Amino acid sequence: QTGEKMLVLRSPQVNASSAPIIHSAEVKARGIGGGESVVPYAGGYVGFRQIDLTGIKQVEMNAAAQRREGSGGGTIEVRLDSPTGPSIGGLTLELAPEVDMVKVMAEMEASAKANGGKPVTPPRNPFNRPPVVLPLKATTGLHDLYFVFKNEQAKPIQPLLSFSTIKFMN
């Protein structure tokens, strides 16, 4: 007799728009650079089925709340098995500081002058934000995992933030 067992490994990074459960959120094209982002509203959530959280200590999201996009910021909660299940992590994401485009343009001009009048490519993207890291409580086994977005001061049609990837890290 012989036996086989197949183990299917998942990437530690998932696209938020691939979540099988998306409630009170929109999936939007990101434009230049491609891909899609998820834009949740207050009370919205995205859910992934049967994620093995054994050894996972934190998740990293490329989330940002930009005032220029009308975002309100808010709380991100990570919950097990349902949007109201036990919380295993979370944080409050504040609005990103305003980008001073006059300063950015002056920096680009100064770089070009220092480079003999040629523009320096590629210029840094002033709207990029550092990743958001959410520490998680130790959890083992397979669970449905929900990212729940809250902001009691937000208007019903106001987006809270946008994000496109979630990376599970040990």
Side-chain angles (χ1 to χ4, degrees):
Q1 292 182 349
T2 62
E4 289 184 17
K5 183 177 181 181
M6 184 176 1
L7 181 62
V8 178
L9 300 176
R10 290 185 175 180
S11 170
Q13 183 168 305
V14 295
N15 291 323
S17 62
S18 71
I21 303 163
I22 298 178
H23 173 77
S24 192
E26 291 183 60
V27 175
K28 295 187 174 187
R30 287 193 306 188
I32 299 172
E36 295 175 322
S37 62
V38 173
V39 180
Y41 300 96
Y45 54 85
V46 298
F48 295 90
R49 298 191 193 284
Q50 299 300 289
I51 301 292
D52 187 356
L53 296 171
T54 304
I56 302 298
K57 295 180 179 158
Q58 62 188 27
V59 292
E60 184 178 283
M61 301 170 67
N62 67 333
Q66 302 279 355
R67 186 171 279 118
R68 67 184 170 86
E69 295 173 350
S71 297
T75 302
I76 305 169
E77 297 176 347
V78 183
R79 295 187 169 268
L80 295 178
D81 302 318
S82 81
T84 57
S87 175
I88 60 167
L91 61 72
T92 299
L93 183 64
E94 303 292 336
L95 283 172
E98 287 291 321
V99 174
D100 183 348
M101 287 308 294
V102 172
K103 181 179 176 183
V104 170
M105 296 303 292
E107 289 173 359
M108 289 173 65
E109 288 175 10
S111 293
K113 282 182 184 175
N115 195 33
K118 298 176 190 167
V120 176
T121 57
R124 70 174 180 85
N125 183 342
F127 299 106
N128 275 353
R129 310 281 1 125
V132 173
V133 177
L134 289 88
L136 300 179
K137 293 179 185 171
T139 306
T140 58
L142 294 172
H143 292 275
D144 291 348
L145 194 63
Y146 289 82
F147 293 82
V148 181
F149 304 92
K150 297 181 177 182
N151 181 336
E152 293 179 10
Q153 282 73 46
K155 298 175 184 143
I157 60 169
Q158 182 178 23
L160 300 186
L161 53 100
S162 66
F163 69 105
S164 59
T165 60
I166 300 167
K167 185 174 183 179
F168 297 91
M169 304 172 72
N170 48 6

